Amino acid sequence: MTPENIQGCDLHEGEFGKVGSVVIWKYFIDGKHMVAKARVEAIDEEEKQVTFNVVEGDLLKDFKDFYFGDFECYAWAKAAIVPGLVSLIVVPLLLYVIYPPSVKSSPDAPKLAKEKLEKMGPMSKNEIIMAVTLVLTVYFNLDFF
């Protein structure tokens, strides 16, 4: 099962990240929506691995017992980092070669920007509220990452 097959998981019993908790996995394989209820058997924080024992669901229609382990939560990120970084470098360069910019220098840009900002005036009340909301949203969601 790969990350693109998994549609979500819900905590059924216990607490996320704790041995003994039960998670219901929703996944999609061969055009079918499936479900697996799995108990967390072991957690190895150092290796970032979790071992699950499937106790109910579609997997048990074909298997008497089903354990899956060596499940690295961020394995997909490790696998994608090299192609992702290469793409971040290669794609802009390729686009620059294929579609070269018509304007390659703009020495008046800082001056024009300053004039436009002065013309716009100070931030309105609604703009200040939006900026504060954005900063607070980012600040309070940092623990998500």
Side-chain angles (χ1 to χ4, degrees):
M1 191 177 318
T2 57
E4 62 265 8
N5 296 103
I6 298 172
Q7 296 177 315
C9 67
D10 296 315
L11 183 64
H12 180 69
E13 182 181 304
E15 188 177 333
F16 271 122
K18 301 288 183 184
V19 173
S21 61
V22 178
V23 179
I24 297 178
W25 294 90
K26 298 172 188 164
Y27 58 99
F28 191 77
I29 294 180
D30 295 331
K32 298 178 195 167
H33 293 278
M34 299 186 175
V35 176
K37 187 185 219 182
R39 182 175 309 280
V40 177
E41 296 289 321
I43 298 174
D44 186 343
E45 293 286 342
E46 193 171 300
E47 294 294 320
K48 304 289 186 214
Q49 294 178 345
V50 180
T51 303
F52 294 93
N53 175 20
V54 177
V55 294
E56 287 180 31
D58 295 300
L59 285 170
L60 296 180
K61 291 177 185 174
D62 297 320
F63 301 97
K64 183 178 175 184
D65 292 317
F66 195 92
Y67 285 84
F68 59 101
D70 296 335
F71 179 76
E72 292 188 47
C73 297
Y74 300 106
W76 61 270
K78 284 194 251 179
I81 192 130
V82 172
L85 291 174
V86 169
S87 295
L88 282 172
I89 296 166
V90 171
V91 170
L93 292 174
L94 186 63
L95 289 173
Y96 186 83
V97 170
I98 295 172
Y99 303 106
S102 57
V103 177
K104 295 187 180 187
S105 175
S106 56
D108 294 333
K111 180 181 159 194
L112 290 171
K114 187 174 180 180
E115 289 173 5
K116 292 279 185 181
L117 283 172
E118 286 174 1
K119 185 178 177 184
M120 288 172 62
M123 290 175 67
S124 70
K125 179 182 173 186
N126 288 340
E127 291 169 334
I128 293 170
I129 291 170
M130 179 58 74
V132 169
T133 303
L134 173 67
V135 169
L136 291 175
T137 301
V138 170
Y139 177 77
F140 285 111
N141 284 300
L142 284 178
D143 64 340
F144 179 76
F145 300 105

